[in-house]
Amino acid sequence: MHISLGLTDEQVLEMYRYMLMTRKLDDRMWLLNRAGSIPFAISCQGHEAIHMGVAYTLNHEKDWVCPYYRDLGLMLALGQTCRDQLLFAFARKEDPNSGGRQMPGHFGDRRFRILSGSSPVGTQVLHAVGIAYGGRLTGSDHVVFTSCGEGSANQGDFHEACNFAGVHRLPVIFMVENNKYAISVPLRKQVAGESIAARANGYGFPGVTVDGTDVFAVYQAMKEAVDRARRGEGPTLIEAVTYRLQPHSSDDDDSSYRSRDEVDLAKKRDPIQLFRNYLVEQGLLSDDYEHRVIARITKEINEATEYAEQAPDPDPSDLYRYIYATDEGR
Amino acid sequence: MPVSNMIESIRDALGIALAADDDLLILGEDVGRYGGVFRATEGLQERYGPDRVIDMPLAESSIIGAAIGLALEGYKPVCEIQFLGFLYPGFEQLISHVSRIRYRTQGDYGMSMVIRAPMGSGVKSHELHSDSFESFYVHIPGIKVVVPSNPYDAKGLLLAAIDDPDPVIFLEPTALYRAEREEVPAEIYQIPLGAAKLVREGQDLTMIAWGGMVPVVKEAAVQLVEDQIQCEIIDIRSLYPFDQDLIVQSVKKTGRVIVVHEAPRTLGVGAEVAAMIQEQAFLFLEAPIMRVTGYDVPTPLGALEHVNRPDVNRIKKAVQQVLHY
């Protein structure tokens, strides 16, 4: 499958490594939260296949990303490190995302053209269309990727952004990571008709639904969308359907709104396990290789945790920095 | 020297800015072929094209949200919101992003943009077409707020706002768009943000106002001369940052102050001005600082707006109270 999509053996193994790293890092955040070391954790478990399908289709030298707070795997594959994320979780001064200003999951990094978003969800989709309009004026062929949950897709800004992108045929990819729940509210109470992708028809551009637990399905849809955008043929809406395997955040008790049976059933379609099965079937993944990869990841996360734990907090004088241009830049 | 009203001087400034900077874009509803509902952008799309003078969908959050993306991409957006009361759908983009992107990116990205909007009452347009909630915007750290009161200042302040590295809310008193004509130089000039203007000198009392209230306090001051009262008038012009020094200097001279605004009284900018004065010049005060303001009501019915809007009589009455305290 991967060969026919143009992916090499090395690339799919690297994808698997990033997926494992994402899961282990996510697990570490929960652990640190439960141990009282970090105030908050937000999980991406169940979204990792989407992240890889996206990361391997974007051009890391020029494309922009206005992400969803569950895009940890995408951030790692774009170039952020476990240390960057742990500094973020501890809200340390050295955190590259915002210097400890933003909530965890509000990724931002100029090095990789990742734009920091906001907590009232779904506002970043409008920034994506603005960037895309600007890029077209400049004559750049960069693509702007923006993602959100199916809950955010009900925000007015989501509609406004799709509408504007449709009118101007902008090179934007709207990815809706449909994990079936907006915190506690199930899909059927959020969306009539149950399809977000179908809305694209009204905006005058293609909308597709893909299995968000399948790296290759996401990769294929993304590749087509990126190619269309780069050719100047306008936006695409992709709805990648998956399941949120963990509670919304460290402050959520999901047993109050969904059964363990339902969650257990979804865990049987854990995207990392599915991808692993594929790699084993293809004879690409040996136990020995996997053990070595996991050992390396664990070491990296341990070192990053230790580093972030000891890293200094922002200085009180940082309170007044970066509010106006006169308050100095970096 | 050419003579202009405020709307012409604003159009003049926008035209100059478009000509001077290829990266400057105008975004708004009806700003293109139509030239804006008040004609501030008339003829500009014809000269600079639809890619730079952009007719946006009727969706204010899109205007501000897309402007953010454009600013990130290195462009200078100048947004027109049709009325200040129509900015509310874009308020979230303003408070969640425009004001904070510099902060949360640790200075990696500034949000150099201008958001223009007509504000205030005095032309009998109802409710949201006449809102004067400038204090919402003054309250947001990361944003600057400017309100001109005459054609000359409008041009110089707008050019300074466009040149500013930070986001500026530029509020244009609707009642003054065509109220007076005065000499406005054709060339480029800037009036620095944060500098108030001493409109009139006097030793008995300091009147502080901005925007649409400036002509009203000027008229009151003229009438008060008949009662041998000499009022000093300060037009704040820039509500954030605001010029504390000029105000304090004046208060130290007169010892008596009224602040006039058409916004609702509670937590209006007048409250901030009064608090600042008592912090910095308490021992110079001869009387309490009085506010003459709109009432704590939604901008009222068109036919009753004069009841809400401070007028010469209410101002004169407040002056007498302060003088005879």
Side-chain angles (χ1 to χ4, degrees), chain B residues 3-319:
Chain B
V3 171
S4 308
N5 63 27
M6 189 186 283
I7 201 79
E8 290 161 351
S9 75
I10 288 167
R11 190 189 307 141
D12 179 24
L14 293 172
I16 287 172
L18 279 161
D21 179 1
D22 288 344
D23 290 336
L24 189 134
L25 309 173
I26 291 178
L27 294 80
E29 292 156 5
D30 304 300
V31 295
R33 191 172 174 184
Y34 194 59
V37 291
F38 288 101
R39 301 288 180 271
T41 57
E42 195 167 44
L44 297 179
Q45 191 185 61
E46 209 171 37
R47 266 156 61 201
Y48 297 99
D51 285 345
R52 292 189 62 201
V53 181
I54 309 163
D55 273 320
M56 292 294 289
L58 211 169
E60 288 78 9
S61 194
S62 293
I63 298 174
I64 311 295
I68 290 166
L70 288 163
L72 290 164
E73 189 65 20
Y75 287 90
K76 163 83 69 171
V78 178
C79 304
E80 176 174 300
I81 298 293
Q82 222 151 49
F83 292 88
L84 182 57
F86 298 4
L87 184 48
Y88 310 136
F91 192 78
E92 187 190 353
Q93 288 289 347
L94 189 69
I95 193 163
S96 296
H97 297 285
V98 172
S99 67
R100 297 178 203 233
I101 284 180
R102 180 184 295 284
Y103 176 73
R104 65 165 70 115
T105 65
Q106 302 180 80
D108 280 349
Y109 295 103
M111 279 288 110
S112 180
M113 67 168 73
V114 177
I115 299 169
R116 299 176 37 246
M119 60 102 70
S121 63
V123 292
K124 296 203 185 300
S125 59
H126 297 210
E127 258 228 12
L128 287 141
H129 294 76
S130 291
D131 270 3
S132 186
F133 285 128
E134 62 270 30
S135 57
F136 289 173
Y137 308 99
V138 176
H139 201 62
I140 305 173
I143 284 178
K144 298 178 179 176
V145 183
V146 175
V147 192
S149 71
N150 57 72
Y152 177 87
D153 283 1
K155 178 173 173 180
L157 287 168
L158 182 53
L159 287 171
I162 287 170
D163 216 24
D164 199 274
D166 290 309
V168 181
I169 309 277
F170 192 85
L171 302 174
E172 301 163 3
T174 318
L176 303 186
Y177 268 155
R178 294 179 169 82
E180 60 164 336
R181 302 181 76 80
E182 65 176 355
E183 288 190 341
V184 176
E187 60 264 27
I188 297 174
Y189 61 92
Q190 292 190 8
I191 296 171
L193 307 188
K197 182 179 186 177
L198 187 62
V199 175
R200 180 193 170 95
E201 287 191 62
Q203 66 287 338
D204 297 328
L205 177 139
T206 303
M207 292 170 153
I208 298 169
W210 54 91
M213 287 294 102
V214 173
V216 186
V217 298
K218 276 162 84 175
E219 174 58 26
V222 169
Q223 292 187 18
L224 285 161
V225 174
E226 293 164 19
D227 303 325
Q228 275 72 55
I229 299 165
Q230 292 297 338
C231 294
E232 185 140 304
I233 298 176
I234 293 176
D235 176 359
I236 294 190
R237 298 195 293 199
S238 172
L239 298 178
Y240 196 94
F242 86 93
D243 189 343
Q244 304 191 2
D245 293 347
L246 190 69
I247 294 170
V248 169
Q249 201 183 314
S250 175
V251 173
K252 285 182 175 173
K253 179 172 77 176
T254 64
R256 296 173 201 272
V257 186
I258 65 164
V259 189
V260 183
H261 59 70
E262 62 177 293
R265 167 174 300 241
T266 302
L267 283 179
V269 175
E272 180 63 29
V273 172
M276 184 279 292
I277 292 170
Q278 69 86 19
E279 282 168 355
Q280 297 200 26
F282 183 69
L283 293 175
F284 294 85
L285 288 172
E286 303 287 346
I289 300 158
M290 294 281 283
R291 286 174 292 165
V292 185
T293 69
Y295 302 111
D296 285 354
V297 298
T299 313
L301 304 163
L304 293 181
E305 70 172 10
H306 64 282
V307 178
N308 185 58
R309 198 170 193 259
D311 60 13
V312 169
N313 286 336
R314 274 169 71 190
I315 292 166
K316 283 166 70 177
K317 203 171 141 197
V319 167

Side-chain angles (χ1 to χ4, degrees), chain A residues 75-107:
Chain A
M75 298 304 109
L76 295 174
L78 288 174
Q80 284 206 312
T81 62
C82 295
R83 183 191 278 192
D84 292 339
Q85 292 304 331
L86 281 153
L87 286 164
F88 193 7
F90 281 91
R92 300 303 193 206
K93 183 180 172 76
E94 204 187 320
D95 155 38
N97 291 278
S98 66
R101 289 163 172 79
Q102 282 261 52
M103 284 287 276
H106 294 45
F107 312 107

